[in-house]
Short mmCIF file of all heavy atoms in Angstrom, two decimals:
data_model
loop_
_atom_site.label_atom_id
_atom_site.label_comp_id
_atom_site.label_asym_id
_atom_site.label_seq_id
_atom_site.Cartn_x
_atom_site.Cartn_y
_atom_site.Cartn_z
N ILE A 151 -75.44 54.42 23.48
CA ILE A 151 -75.75 53.99 22.11
C ILE A 151 -74.52 53.62 21.47
O ILE A 151 -73.51 54.15 21.62
CB ILE A 151 -76.47 55.20 21.32
CG1 ILE A 151 -76.95 54.69 20.01
CG2 ILE A 151 -75.48 56.37 21.19
CD1 ILE A 151 -77.89 55.61 19.28
N SER A 152 -74.68 52.55 20.70
CA SER A 152 -73.49 51.95 19.92
C SER A 152 -73.42 52.63 18.50
O SER A 152 -74.41 52.80 17.87
CB SER A 152 -73.62 50.43 19.82
OG SER A 152 -73.65 49.82 21.10
N VAL A 153 -72.21 52.68 18.07
CA VAL A 153 -71.98 53.16 16.72
C VAL A 153 -70.77 52.43 16.10
O VAL A 153 -69.84 52.08 16.79
CB VAL A 153 -71.66 54.68 16.66
CG1 VAL A 153 -70.47 55.09 17.42
CG2 VAL A 153 -71.55 55.32 15.27
N SER A 154 -70.96 52.12 14.78
CA SER A 154 -69.85 51.41 14.00
C SER A 154 -69.37 52.34 12.96
O SER A 154 -70.12 53.19 12.50
CB SER A 154 -70.33 50.05 13.52
OG SER A 154 -70.70 49.19 14.49
N LEU A 155 -68.17 52.12 12.54
CA LEU A 155 -67.56 53.01 11.51
C LEU A 155 -66.95 52.19 10.44
O LEU A 155 -66.35 51.13 10.59
CB LEU A 155 -66.44 53.91 12.09
CG LEU A 155 -66.76 54.83 13.24
CD1 LEU A 155 -65.58 55.61 13.62
CD2 LEU A 155 -67.84 55.80 12.80
N GLU A 156 -67.07 52.69 9.23
CA GLU A 156 -66.26 52.17 8.03
C GLU A 156 -65.32 53.27 7.57
O GLU A 156 -65.74 54.34 7.22
CB GLU A 156 -67.18 51.70 6.95
CG GLU A 156 -66.24 51.15 5.76
CD GLU A 156 -67.09 50.56 4.68
OE1 GLU A 156 -68.28 50.83 4.59
OE2 GLU A 156 -66.45 49.95 3.73
N LEU A 157 -64.08 52.93 7.69
CA LEU A 157 -63.00 53.91 7.26
C LEU A 157 -62.95 53.78 5.69
O LEU A 157 -62.39 52.83 5.17
CB LEU A 157 -61.62 53.50 7.90
CG LEU A 157 -60.46 54.38 7.55
CD1 LEU A 157 -60.70 55.84 7.95
CD2 LEU A 157 -59.21 53.86 7.97
N GLU A 158 -63.61 54.71 5.03
CA GLU A 158 -63.66 54.64 3.57
C GLU A 158 -62.45 55.10 2.77
O GLU A 158 -62.09 54.60 1.73
CB GLU A 158 -64.93 55.40 3.12
CG GLU A 158 -66.22 54.85 3.61
CD GLU A 158 -67.40 55.64 2.99
OE1 GLU A 158 -67.24 56.89 2.61
OE2 GLU A 158 -68.45 55.07 2.99
N GLU A 159 -61.65 56.09 3.46
CA GLU A 159 -60.50 56.57 2.76
C GLU A 159 -59.57 57.25 3.76
O GLU A 159 -60.01 57.83 4.69
CB GLU A 159 -60.92 57.60 1.65
CG GLU A 159 -59.74 58.10 0.85
CD GLU A 159 -58.98 57.06 0.10
OE1 GLU A 159 -58.23 56.28 0.73
OE2 GLU A 159 -59.22 56.90 -1.16
N CYS A 160 -58.31 57.06 3.55
CA CYS A 160 -57.26 57.72 4.27
C CYS A 160 -56.06 57.83 3.33
O CYS A 160 -55.38 56.78 3.21
CB CYS A 160 -56.92 57.09 5.56
SG CYS A 160 -55.66 57.91 6.52
N VAL A 161 -55.79 58.90 2.74
CA VAL A 161 -54.75 59.02 1.76
C VAL A 161 -54.02 60.39 1.77
O VAL A 161 -54.78 61.46 2.06
CB VAL A 161 -55.24 58.76 0.34
CG1 VAL A 161 -56.29 59.75 -0.14
CG2 VAL A 161 -54.12 58.72 -0.69
N GLN A 162 -52.81 60.52 1.55
CA GLN A 162 -52.03 61.76 1.48
C GLN A 162 -51.90 62.05 0.00
O GLN A 162 -51.37 61.26 -0.74
CB GLN A 162 -50.69 61.55 2.13
CG GLN A 162 -49.77 62.83 2.01
CD GLN A 162 -48.42 62.55 2.58
OE1 GLN A 162 -47.95 61.44 2.60
NE2 GLN A 162 -47.71 63.65 2.95
N SER A 163 -52.41 63.22 -0.33
CA SER A 163 -52.34 63.62 -1.78
C SER A 163 -51.41 64.83 -1.90
O SER A 163 -51.53 65.86 -1.24
CB SER A 163 -53.80 64.06 -2.21
OG SER A 163 -54.63 62.95 -2.19
N PHE A 164 -50.43 64.65 -2.85
CA PHE A 164 -49.38 65.64 -3.15
C PHE A 164 -49.87 66.59 -4.25
O PHE A 164 -50.21 66.12 -5.31
CB PHE A 164 -48.07 65.02 -3.41
CG PHE A 164 -47.28 64.53 -2.24
CD1 PHE A 164 -47.49 63.27 -1.66
CD2 PHE A 164 -46.37 65.40 -1.60
CE1 PHE A 164 -46.78 62.86 -0.62
CE2 PHE A 164 -45.66 64.91 -0.47
CZ PHE A 164 -45.87 63.68 -0.04
N SER A 165 -49.83 67.79 -4.00
CA SER A 165 -50.02 68.86 -5.14
C SER A 165 -48.76 69.46 -5.55
O SER A 165 -48.62 70.33 -6.45
CB SER A 165 -51.01 69.91 -4.69
OG SER A 165 -50.57 70.53 -3.55
N GLY A 166 -47.65 69.15 -4.90
CA GLY A 166 -46.26 69.63 -5.17
C GLY A 166 -45.31 68.80 -4.27
O GLY A 166 -45.64 67.89 -3.64
N THR A 167 -43.99 69.08 -4.48
CA THR A 167 -42.96 68.36 -3.82
C THR A 167 -43.10 68.24 -2.27
O THR A 167 -42.97 67.29 -1.64
CB THR A 167 -41.55 68.87 -4.14
OG1 THR A 167 -41.39 68.88 -5.61
CG2 THR A 167 -40.51 68.00 -3.62
N ALA A 168 -43.45 69.39 -1.73
CA ALA A 168 -43.60 69.52 -0.22
C ALA A 168 -44.98 69.93 0.16
O ALA A 168 -45.19 70.39 1.30
CB ALA A 168 -42.45 70.42 0.29
N ARG A 169 -45.95 69.86 -0.74
CA ARG A 169 -47.29 70.30 -0.43
C ARG A 169 -48.24 69.11 -0.54
O ARG A 169 -48.32 68.53 -1.59
CB ARG A 169 -47.67 71.44 -1.37
CG ARG A 169 -46.84 72.67 -1.36
CD ARG A 169 -47.55 73.85 -1.97
NE ARG A 169 -47.91 73.43 -3.43
CZ ARG A 169 -47.07 73.57 -4.45
NH1 ARG A 169 -45.80 73.99 -4.29
NH2 ARG A 169 -47.48 73.16 -5.68
N SER A 170 -48.82 68.77 0.52
CA SER A 170 -49.83 67.64 0.51
C SER A 170 -50.85 67.86 1.65
O SER A 170 -50.72 68.77 2.52
CB SER A 170 -49.07 66.32 0.74
OG SER A 170 -48.71 66.21 2.10
N GLU A 171 -51.91 67.03 1.52
CA GLU A 171 -52.98 67.07 2.54
C GLU A 171 -53.41 65.62 2.67
O GLU A 171 -53.40 64.84 1.70
CB GLU A 171 -54.07 68.01 2.17
CG GLU A 171 -54.73 67.71 0.85
CD GLU A 171 -55.81 68.77 0.51
OE1 GLU A 171 -55.70 69.92 1.01
OE2 GLU A 171 -56.73 68.47 -0.24
N VAL A 172 -53.94 65.26 3.84
CA VAL A 172 -54.50 63.98 4.13
C VAL A 172 -55.99 64.13 4.31
O VAL A 172 -56.51 65.04 4.94
CB VAL A 172 -53.88 63.40 5.45
CG1 VAL A 172 -54.75 62.22 5.91
CG2 VAL A 172 -52.45 62.93 5.27
N LEU A 173 -56.65 63.19 3.55
CA LEU A 173 -58.12 63.13 3.69
C LEU A 173 -58.51 61.87 4.40
O LEU A 173 -58.01 60.80 4.07
CB LEU A 173 -58.77 63.09 2.22
CG LEU A 173 -60.22 62.61 2.21
CD1 LEU A 173 -61.07 63.73 2.81
CD2 LEU A 173 -60.63 62.35 0.77
N VAL A 174 -59.38 62.01 5.46
CA VAL A 174 -59.80 60.85 6.16
C VAL A 174 -61.43 60.95 5.98
O VAL A 174 -61.95 62.01 6.39
CB VAL A 174 -59.46 60.86 7.65
CG1 VAL A 174 -60.13 59.78 8.46
CG2 VAL A 174 -57.93 60.80 7.79
N ARG A 175 -61.99 59.86 5.59
CA ARG A 175 -63.43 59.84 5.34
C ARG A 175 -63.99 58.52 6.02
O ARG A 175 -63.44 57.46 5.76
CB ARG A 175 -63.78 59.93 3.94
CG ARG A 175 -65.30 59.95 3.68
CD ARG A 175 -65.57 60.20 2.16
NE ARG A 175 -65.14 59.16 1.35
CZ ARG A 175 -64.23 59.38 0.40
NH1 ARG A 175 -63.71 60.58 0.17
NH2 ARG A 175 -63.86 58.32 -0.36
#
Side-chain angles (χ1 to χ4, degrees):
I151 185 166
S152 298
V153 61
S154 299
L155 301 179
E156 181 177 9
L157 181 62
E158 295 185 335
E159 184 60 286
C160 180
V161 62
Q162 179 186 22
S163 297
F164 281 87
S165 57
T167 304
R169 299 191 306 274
S170 73
E171 59 184 25
V172 164
L173 167 67
V174 177
R175 184 172 62 244

